[in-house]
């Protein structure tokens, strides 16, 4: 069963670096778009979408744009940068 | 478990079995042919050089066997392309492969400098090539699980 993030803090904790994303939430808001559908739209494998969603992989700028384009949303609404975590996480 | 993780596990098993068999064959050849590696250095080079194509053949054969089984029983197709995530993982895995091989090579050279017998250096280099192959595939498993 897929897990839906309730708080933004929860999403932040998932992120390895100083970026986090709301891909899971955006998929949910886009008629429960499947990971496969998103992968096809963004031109990557489903595995990559899973890794991005889990915060295991910070995508390149181009892929981040492609993902937000697939949701028809601006980049900064899907991906967030947290300067306060730069020092904490050493990135 | 992802396609790449399963493929890497099969490759590790293939490398261990294949190179152990090749290693036993080489050691038998050296012992039965009374080859003194410290004198006949051409055999030293030949057997180590042959290890690379043996490793490549093992990788190809295990991949073919794995793909056949995977398609038949798991109904899972091989990924058609490598995206940026796969490329980053490949780069890191090859980096780890190179480090392990380099480490083995330098230890081998150090042993030679310390006048340790050539047979031991031969075995060490053989093992370091084998370990670097295992490291490459283990790195794939690690990075696909943990992320990059």
């Amino acid at each position: 069963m897929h897990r839906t993030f309730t708080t933004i803090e929860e999403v932040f904790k998932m992120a390895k670096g100083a970026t986090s994303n709301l891909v899971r939430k955006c998929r949910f808001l886009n008629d429960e778009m499947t990971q496969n559908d998103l992968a096809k739209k963004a031109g990557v494998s489903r595995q990559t979408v899973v890794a991005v969603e889990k915060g295991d992989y910070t995508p390149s700028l181009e892929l981040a744009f492609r993902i937000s384009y697939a949701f028809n949303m601006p980049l900064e609404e899907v991906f967030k940068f947290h300067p306060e975590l730069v020092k904490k996480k050493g990135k | 478990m992802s396609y790449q993780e399963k493929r890497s596990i099969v490759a590790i098993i293939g490398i261990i079995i294949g190179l152990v068999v090749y290693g036993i064959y080489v050691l038998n050849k050296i012992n039965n042919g009374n080859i003194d590696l410290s004198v006949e250095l051409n055999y030293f080079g030949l057997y180590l050089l042959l290890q690379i194509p043996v490793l490549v053949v093992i990788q190809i054969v295990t991949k073919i066997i794995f793909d056949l089984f995977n398609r038949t029983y798991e109904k899972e197709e091989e990924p058609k392309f490598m995206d940026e995530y796969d490329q980053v993982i490949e780069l890191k895995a090859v980096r780890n492969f190179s480090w392990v091989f380099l480490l083995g090579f330098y230890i081998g050279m150090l042993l030679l400098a310390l006048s340790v017998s050539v047979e031991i250096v031969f075995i060490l280099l053989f093992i370091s090539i084998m370990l670097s192959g295992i490291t490459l595939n283990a790195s794939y498993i690690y990075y696909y699980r943990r992320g990059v």
Side-chain angles (χ1 to χ4, degrees):
Chain A
M1 203 176 105
H2 288 297
R3 191 168 161 240
T4 313
F5 301 117
T6 46
T7 61
I8 197 81
E9 286 73 24
E10 207 178 348
V11 180
F12 292 173
K13 274 181 207 161
M14 296 282 293
K16 275 187 177 172
T19 56
S20 66
N21 67 76
L22 296 169
V23 173
R24 171 74 193 102
K25 203 167 188 174
C26 293
R27 283 201 301 110
F28 178 76
L29 294 174
N30 276 268
D31 298 327
E32 276 283 1
M33 184 193 284
T34 63
Q35 290 173 330
N36 245 335
D37 288 340
L38 176 60
K40 275 181 195 160
K41 283 187 177 178
V44 291
S45 64
R46 194 185 74 85
Q47 204 169 13
T48 304
V49 171
V50 173
V52 170
E53 219 173 80
K54 279 165 65 186
D56 283 346
Y57 174 59
T58 307
S60 68
L61 191 58
E62 192 190 322
L63 178 55
F65 269 115
R66 277 193 267 152
I67 290 173
S68 17
Y69 182 74
F71 293 132
N72 209 11
M73 285 167 84
L75 180 76
E76 62 272 19
E77 279 184 29
V78 183
F79 293 91
K80 307 269 180 198
F81 176 63
H82 313 286
E84 71 277 11
L85 292 180
V86 173
K87 222 177 174 183
K88 227 183 264 179
K89 296 200 174 184
K91 286 197 176 179
Chain B
M1 197 183 277
S2 71
Y3 169 87
Q4 287 89 346
E5 285 171 67
K6 283 187 271 183
R7 189 190 61 194
S8 300
I9 290 170
V10 174
I12 288 174
I13 296 167
I15 289 170
I16 292 170
I17 295 171
L19 287 187
V20 164
V21 170
Y22 177 70
I24 292 168
Y25 164 79
V26 168
L27 286 178
N28 274 340
K29 272 246 173 186
I30 290 170
N31 291 335
N32 296 340
N34 289 325
I35 299 166
D36 185 1
L37 282 180
S38 55
V39 180
E40 293 166 280
L41 278 171
N42 55 327
Y43 285 104
F44 183 102
L46 178 74
Y47 289 133
L48 277 185
L49 212 59
L50 273 176
Q51 198 185 353
I52 304 296
V54 167
L55 195 64
V56 173
V57 169
I58 289 168
Q59 294 266 35
I60 294 169
V61 170
T62 51
K63 194 182 176 307
I64 291 169
I65 293 169
F66 169 71
D67 276 343
L68 273 174
F69 270 88
N70 207 34
R71 252 180 240 174
T72 318
Y73 296 107
E74 301 271 323
K75 310 269 182 233
E76 190 183 13
E77 287 279 316
E78 181 189 356
K80 288 180 182 71
F81 63 96
M82 269 182 88
D83 59 24
E84 57 174 59
Y85 182 57
D86 300 312
Q87 283 168 356
V88 170
I89 289 178
E90 188 177 38
L91 277 173
K92 290 197 170 193
V94 171
R95 179 200 61 187
N96 295 346
F97 163 87
S98 306
W99 274 117
V100 174
F101 178 72
L102 254 181
L103 189 73
F105 179 78
Y106 279 117
I107 293 173
M109 293 307 108
L110 181 76
L111 292 180
L112 273 183
L114 294 171
S115 306
V116 174
S117 86
V118 177
E119 281 83 5
I120 290 175
V121 176
F122 176 79
I123 291 168
L124 182 91
L125 286 176
F126 190 96
I127 290 171
S128 86
I129 292 174
M130 185 171 155
L131 279 181
S132 51
I134 293 170
T135 305
L136 179 79
N137 288 291
S139 301
Y140 280 122
I141 299 169
Y142 176 75
Y143 290 124
Y144 274 109
R145 288 231 157 162
R146 190 190 142 265
V148 285

